[in-house]
Structures are given as C-alpha cells and as structure tokens.
Amino acid sequence: MTVPGRRSSTFTRLLRHGFTDPSGAERLLDLPELAALRGDPVLLDALGATADPDLALRGLVRLVEAQPETERSTLTTTLLSAKPFRDRLLGVLGASEALADHLARHPGDWETLVTYEAADLHPGVTEFERGLAEATDPVSLRVAYRRCLLGIAARDVCGTTDVAQTAAELADLATATLRAALALARAAEPADAAQCRLAVIAMGKCGGHELNYVSDVDVIFVGEPVEGADEAKALQAATRLASHLMRICSETTVEGTIWPVDANLRPEGRNGPLVRTLSSHLAYYQRWAKTWEFQALLKARPVAGDPELGSAYVDAVSPMVWQAAERENFVTDVQAMRRRVVDNIPVAQVDRELKLGPGGLRDVEFAVQLLQLVHGRSDATLHSGSTLDALAALAAGGYVGRADAAQLDEAYRFLRAMEHRIQLYRLRRTHLVPEGDEDLRRLGRSLGLRTDPVAELNKEWRRHASVVRRLHEKIFYRPLLDAVAQLAPGEIRLSPKAAGQRLEALGYADPAAALRHLEALASGVSRKAAIQRTLLPVLLGWFADSADPDAGLLGFRKVSDALGKTPWYLRLLRDEGAAAENLARVLSAGRLAPDLLLRAPEAVAILGDPEGLKPRGRDHLEQEVLAAVGRADDAEQGVAAARGVRRRELFRTAAADLIDAYGTEDSPRTSDPGALVDRVGQAVTDLNAATIAGALRAAVRAEWGDELPTRFAVIGMGRFGGHELGYGSDADVLFVHEPRPGVDDQEAAKAANRVVTEMRRLLQLPTTDPPLLIDADLRPEGRSGPMVRTLASYQAYYRRWSLVWESQALLRAAPMAGDPELGQRFIELVDPLRYPAEGLGEDAVREIRRLKARMESERLPRGADPTLHAKLGRGGLSDVEWTVQLLQMRHGWAEPGLRTTRTRAALSAAHAAGLIATEEAQTLDEAWVLATRVRNAVMLVRGRPGDTFPSEPRELAAVGRYLGYGPGHVGEMVDDYRRITRRARAVVDELFYGA
C-alpha cells in the first residue's frame, strides 16, 4: 500500500524511464488488458527506450484493446518473449501517432513486424509490390501501403537502416504504389489501356531515390499510341489513365490518403497537357525549357508503366540536362532560383524552416545539383539523382573538398533524419520544426538525444544548419583556389578546364583572367597567401552574386596589391565580419566606388568600422578641410588636401549607398529608397560645400592673407542649393560680394573676380582626385553677365530686369560658403522674388508653362527615349520639380512650409497645406525618388554621369541590382520605371498645365 503523499515505486520507475505523465501511465498499466505485461520489467525498459514512452504506452493499450479476445495473449506473449519485435513495435508506437492509429484500426498488422528474413532488412520494389499485390481498390491499397510503411518505420526507428536507406525504401514503396495504382486504373478503363502506352517518370525526391515519409510524389507522364491507334485518341486515353492514377493516390478515403501525385514539373506546368508524346516533350525541352526544368530532370527516373517508353524518355532528355550549363542565361537563372526559394518563406517561419530556410536541406541539394550541372557535362560519374551519392562523387572527383563534403554529408543526414521524424509523428507533409517542448522532446529522443533532448536538439540543429550555411556556397569556390595552390599529397585538384567551367557557370565572363587573379592572390606559402585562401571562397561568392563578378575580383586584386604589405588590411577583412562583404559589394557594383578607393586604398578601413559608413556633417567636414588648407604650404597643396577629403567622403557615401541598396547577410537592404536619396543628396552637398569653403580659404590666403578686401559669399543654386546633389552633379552657384569699409569698389570687384577665377582653377586642376566643377550660369544675364556682383548690384538688377525664370531659379538659393551674414542678407533680398506677395499672376504662370513646354521640345537629346530620360523625360525630375516650384511660387507667401529649397520637403508641405491630394503627392514623390536613384545608379555603375539607362547588358543589370531587381529582371525594372513616371506625368499635366 502507498502511504498518502508519498509517490509509489512504480511512479518513480516511470519517471526514471522517461515518462512525462507517470500518473497517467500508472493508470494505463493497471488496466486489465495489460495484466499479462504489467509485472515484467522488460516492458518498462523497452518503453523507456522509445522516443515518447507515454505515446508508446497509449498506442500499445489501444492495440491490445483492439485485438480479438482470442488473439490478445498471442500479442502479449510475443511482445515479452521476442526482443526484436518488442523494440520494433514499441519504437513505432513511440514515434508515430498516425501508425498507432493504423494498428488500432487494423489490429492484425502487428504481425508484419514479428519476423524478418534477410530480405526483409532491405526490401526493394519487388518485395513492396508483393506487399501491395492484394489491393483491389484505393481503400485496400492505402491499408497495404501503411502496412509496408510500418516495416520501413520500424527499421528506421530501431536503427536497422540509416536515413539514406530509409529514403530509398520510401522511394521504392512509392514506385510499387504507382505501379499498383496504374494497374487499378487500367483495370477500371480496359479500353483506354488498350489504346496507348503510358510511362510514369518519377521526378524530385522520388526520382532521386530519397523520398520523405510524406511528400508530394512528382511525376511526368509520357504517352504513345499502340500500333495502329489514332494519336489524338490515344493521348486522351493516356490522360484519363494518368488522371485516374493520380486520384487513386491522392484522394481522401475512409483510410485517408497516400500522398498527392504532383505533375506540375511537366512542360508548361499546370497549363500544359498532362500527357505528351516523347517527341512533344523533346520539342519543348529543345525550344522553350528554362534552366530550372533541366535541373529538375537531373532526378528523372522511369518507375511505372511502359518500361521501354520510360527508358527512351530518360535517354533522350539526359544529354540536354548535361548541356544546360552552356545555356545563355544559366548563371542568372540559378541565382534567381536560389533567391526565389528564400524570398518565398513566410518571415514568421524562416527560423523553423528545415527545408528552405538558411542552412536548410535545399541549400545542400541546390549546391550539389548546380555542381553536377556544371561538371557533369564532362564527367559521367556525377550523373546521379541522389544528393548524397552525387556529393560523394563530387568529392571523389575533386570538385568539392573532401573535408567539406564529409561535413555536408553529416549535416544533410542529420537534417533529413529530423525531417523524417517530424513527418512520421502524424504522417503529415511539413518541414517546420515544432515549437512545443513536448514535440521537441520526442523529436530529440527519436534522434538518440536523451540527457536534455530539447536543448541538445536545438544545439545540434543549429550546429548543422550553421555548417550548411557556411559551406553551401564555399564549396563552389574553395576548389578553385586549390586548382591554383600547392596541395597536400593525395589531394585531388580541379583541372584548369573544370575550374574555368565553374567560374563561367558562376557568372565570370573571362574565366582565364579570373584564374590568373586567383593564382596571384592565393598561391605560395606566405601567411598573406594563407589568409587570402581563407577569404577568397567567401569573396568569390559575393562577387558572383553581383552583376559583374570579373570587375569585383579584379578590383580586389588591385586593392590587395596596393595594401598587401600593410599589416592591418588582411586582418581587417578576416576579423571584421562586415568588412569583407562590404568590400565585395562595393568592388563589384560598378566603377565609381572602386575608382575612388583605388586612388587611396587605405579608405578600405572605413568598411570595417560600424560608424565608418555614416556621413560626416558639414561642420565636421569644413573643420577638417580648413585645417588641412591651413597646414598647406601653398594654395594648390591646400586644395589638393581638400579634394582628397572630398574623394574619401565621396567613397564613404557611395559605399554606404551601395551596401544599403544591396543589403548584406547581417543587414537587409534598405526598404525606404527615399531615405537613401536624401542621405546621398545631403552628404554630397555637405562635402562639396566644405570643399568650396576650403578652396575659398586657400585662394584668399595665397594673395591677401587672412582677409579679402571685400566680404564674399557663395550661394548654392539648383541641386546644390536644394541639398539634392548626385554623384555626378556640378555645383551651381552665384557669387556675391560687398566691399569692406574704405575699400574702393573697383578694387573690391577686382579682388572678388580674382578669387572666383582662382577657386575654379584650383578645383579643376588635373590630379588623381575627381574635379569639382563650379557652374555660375544661373547668374543675372547668364554667361553674358559679370561672374561676381555686389549685393546692391543684385538688388538693382532683380528690381528692374528680373525675369520669371530667374525668380523660379532662386527658389533653390541657399548660402553655402564664405561670409554667413552676407549670405543671409542675399536670401532676405531674394525672398520677395521667389515667394511673391499674393502669389504669381496669371501672366507669370503662363510664361512658366511656356518655358517648360519649350524646354521639353528643345532640350531632350536627339534620339533619347522620352519615357526613359530621368531628367527631362516624361514624369522625370524636371516634370516633378517644375510642378512643385509652381506651387511654391503661387502659395509660398502664405504657407511657410513651402519656403524650402528641397523638392521632397516642399512637396510634403504642399500636401500638408491641402494643395495636393495624398495619392498625387505620393505619385510625384515616388517618381522623383526613382529618377534620382536611376541617375545615381548610372554614375555608380559607369563612373560617369548619365540620365538614361545604360544599353550595355552588364551595366544595365548592375543598375537593376542597385534598384533592387534580381538577375534576369531588367525588363521588369524598365517597365516599372515607365509605369511610375507615366502616372507622375498624368499628375503633372493636371497640376502644372491645368489639363
């Protein structure tokens, strides 16, 4: 008798044997049905060895209760006397609630687990066909299928078969099931069967002999008429048979379903005919098939129906599979496929996704298949549908490092075992790791993790996923280095031909040059070469992910040549996680940033500092520039230092822009393109203003010392005044001066003109740094007028002669350098002109519209596509800016928010004031931001300014990548640009032209 409050000895033993509900287990063990088993210690030991002892005991009780009275003792006696049977039965009951349900419904099926002949240990298709032979309809086929599945699961959970053998058995059972289903369909439609030959080709995991417990079985159907039959009618008959086969396997009956049969990998997918002739398949593959379809055909295997027709199909498509890597868009297709897989995972599930998540099963399968396609064209040993067999063949041939292959093999087996056990529990198709502790505990125990199953499982899963994530791309690149490096004895290297093939498949246009760069960087026994060999596999992957891998690798070699002897450079790339990826993104995204970096390679240090990519403010830059000018021996040296600061800051701005636009492994790409545009505009404006301030100080110091005989200010105009400069923009300015007391007007004017001339000369001197062009054409009287005027002269001119376009130009006027008080007085002078009291008169509005219309017809370059010109084209910068500026001149006097030099701020203020509807404001803003980004992208990619999309394919692809369009999507980018700017033009027609 148990003393109240004290646990029974049975309770304690149950806890010790892994039961989580010992009280419930005690009650079950006390049931009269288990009287014969209760006292035997072997039962508890066997239950404790299962994945879930509570589940196993509940399943056992249900099975015993379901036995006829006369058979119950046979089961219990066999259970106690035969250890192999006990382990198999309880192992299945403790791992699979679904198979426990099956045994409760079909209580005699336990007998299939009692005896194992040698053949039973590794059954093949023949044995499974025998097991399904008595099925006469879909229901009995399901029962027979589950009976066979019991044996596979028992061998799996007891460790008789490993994960690869289990997957192969499941594929063989699927093959036998498809054959049985086809036989049932033929028996039901004998007239159809007589008219046609039908072959069933397994694809995917079934074709690769590596099926899951619950998975769609992917197939393709091939049909031919029998001799003398009409082809069209024969294909109709074959289609009815194929459809019937699919229903037999897929439909839900009283015994549930087997698995869905999925024929969507066929030509044209679900839009194409279910059954085609062999010649129709071949015609499609020769003409229309995409790269992913050839990748899928890697696993094609005839499994049911006419064996001769099935073999003929595989023999015919196989050569096309192994030529797929020579197709024109192979690389971009492969990159796009990989991205599409990751992008389609719901965010909430990405951390639990075993198959498609980062470091998941698909990463291994994808990497192996890609290497098979690249190297299988010249090496038939790689022609395998099984992932693990193909991985072993890749290692044996030197296409993958042996240590890497061994680690991937181990990780893949562990992840597949997890997937199997997750699906086995309820026989449901899922790839999500469960969240509940009870489920995780059962899963961990089923994989042999018994001390702390949940913690151990999470640790092992993360470890293996991390291995896959680290290796899945590196295995493409590491053998490329071995091909040019000294190898240990016995190691196999890629041949130059194989290395070239791989580089070509990864997007390198000049594989021979790429190999030369790799050899220069990584060969030898120095510590530098050893670090490069560690870095390059990852860097090559990042380069290959860009639009121009060759440029990235060449740039890296140049930077490495320049900095190779400095101790910090390689250490920075090796130890600062973000630095190497940031450098790879910057070097392979276009010409501007690498050109800026190569003029002073030490700026690479910016990429490793978390704060290094943030733009420096105007005050900070001006202080640095003026200090550098002050230290210089003469004006030229001083401005050279200022331009050096500008070059470094341009690189910082471009690098930050590219890294945010592309995204990195640790930080996704910026989702707000407007913020990127604003940051670039502000940063370039600040550094140009600081550079001009430095040039002004240098010019004054050289001739006048500390003080010029006249007060002098530089007023920013256009994009400069609007804080909206791009990488290739000139600095539009006005110069204003005011003689100091006691200084002759003529002397003051002469000094001011000499300063302007000297500033422009210094900023355009030929050096390694980019020039800063100063444009003063917006001054009164344009190029015919004096370069510099006094404040009084500006006042007299604007009062008497000013035209409406000059008032409009002054909307962007803002002091940028020189005497701040004089600059402010200039702004006070022009405010009444740009924000006229009571707004613009109708005559002035008509004049602005006339000028805009004339500009559209005259200034667009000849031959330019008006729908794609970012500045002057339909819905481009000019359209949006003139519309906003008209609102500013009409309403700025009454709405303080409109008194700004910035386009987006003015547009936002107009919306806040109710002058423009929300949707229209958003449309104009979106178009302006996009057009600005196109111009920035063109400068970043080509290294020179441009207002239209480049025509050269690689440059166009690089612009697309900057704008967020993946490989192969440049057409979509151009379409989106036209659509967005077309909508903006409709708003412009209404708001600006009053249409």
Side-chain angles (χ1 to χ4, degrees), residues 704-723:
W704 294 278
D706 290 336
E707 189 174 270
L708 195 63
T710 185
R711 300 173 74 186
F712 186 90
V714 181
I715 309 297
M717 299 287 284
R719 294 190 187 291
F720 189 24
H723 300 259

Side-chain angles (χ1 to χ4, degrees), residues 753-770:
N753 274 294
R754 279 217 303 279
V755 163
V756 169
T757 304
E758 181 66 356
M759 280 173 64
R760 298 180 79 186
R761 182 187 76 83
L762 291 169
L763 289 170
Q764 293 177 42
L765 279 175
T767 69
T768 56
D769 295 317

Side-chain angles (χ1 to χ4, degrees), residues 938-960:
V938 170
M939 184 67 187
L940 285 166
V941 169
R942 302 179 71 189
R944 60 182 190 274
D947 291 315
T948 59
F949 290 97
S951 55
E952 199 278 318
R954 281 214 164 193
E955 292 179 346
L956 185 61
V959 168

Side-chain angles (χ1 to χ4, degrees), residues 854-874 948:
R854 189 174 130 203
M855 187 178 78
E856 285 178 20
S857 64
E858 293 179 4
R859 289 186 57 194
L860 192 71
R862 183 175 294 175
D865 183 344
T867 66
L868 293 176
H869 198 280
K871 184 176 182 182
L872 301 173
R874 178 194 69 188
T948 59

Side-chain angles (χ1 to χ4, degrees), residues 282-289 327:
L282 296 181
Y284 173 85
Y285 288 128
Q286 284 160 353
R287 188 160 182 199
W288 303 111
R327 289 162 57 85

Side-chain angles (χ1 to χ4, degrees), residues 86-113:
R86 185 167 61 245
D87 291 343
R88 288 192 287 267
L89 176 63
L90 296 181
V92 168
L93 292 174
S96 179
E97 192 173 63
L99 288 177
D101 291 345
H102 172 84
L103 283 168
R105 284 198 310 276
H106 304 281
D109 280 2
W110 65 268
E111 295 178 15
T112 61
L113 301 177

Side-chain angles (χ1 to χ4, degrees), residues 670-680 904 925 928-929 933:
T670 300
S671 58
D672 180 4
L676 282 181
V677 163
D678 290 345
R679 190 175 68 190
V680 170
R904 296 188 75 209
D925 186 69
W928 188 89
V929 167
R933 292 196 77 212

Side-chain angles (χ1 to χ4, degrees), residues 65-256:
E65 287 176 340
Q67 299 300 312
E69 291 284 344
T70 54
E71 299 295 324
R72 198 170 285 170
S73 62
T74 309
L75 170 60
T76 54
T77 305
T78 311
L79 193 67
L80 292 177
S81 60
K83 182 180 187 308
F85 166 68
R86 185 167 61 245
D87 291 343
R88 288 192 287 267
L89 176 63
L90 296 181
V92 168
L93 292 174
S96 179
E97 192 173 63
L99 288 177
D101 291 345
H102 172 84
L103 283 168
R105 284 198 310 276
H106 304 281
D109 280 2
W110 65 268
E111 295 178 15
T112 61
L113 301 177
V114 176
T115 56
Y116 274 176
E117 303 299 331
D120 291 330
L121 294 179
H122 299 292
V125 177
T126 306
E127 287 75 23
F128 289 127
E129 283 189 297
R130 206 177 297 131
L132 302 177
E134 294 177 14
T136 55
D137 57 38
V139 174
S140 56
L141 181 61
R142 280 152 179 68
V143 176
Y145 175 84
R146 291 264 157 74
R147 195 180 299 125
C148 293
L149 200 60
L150 266 175
I152 294 175
R155 288 186 289 278
D156 179 14
V157 297
C158 292
T160 309
T161 54
D162 67 14
V163 69
Q165 290 167 326
T166 301
E169 286 185 17
L170 288 164
D172 285 341
L173 175 56
T175 297
T177 307
L178 288 168
R179 291 179 183 179
L182 182 57
L184 291 177
R186 284 176 175 281
E189 319 266 0
D192 284 343
Q195 285 190 69
C196 64
R197 299 163 64 202
L198 178 65
V200 184
I201 311 297
M203 304 286 284
K205 283 193 159 47
C206 183
H209 232 218
E210 49 187 18
L211 197 59
N212 300 328
Y213 275 101
V214 188
S215 172
D216 290 0
V217 169
D218 295 309
V219 299
I220 282 176
F221 295 107
V222 189
E224 294 287 348
V226 298
E227 194 172 337
D230 177 74
E231 184 177 295
K233 288 181 179 174
L235 281 178
Q236 289 170 358
T239 301
R240 286 191 291 272
L241 286 175
S243 301
H244 196 172
L245 177 154
M246 292 172 73
R247 287 198 304 278
I248 288 169
C249 296
S250 306
E251 282 181 346
T252 302
T253 69
V254 289
E255 285 293 337

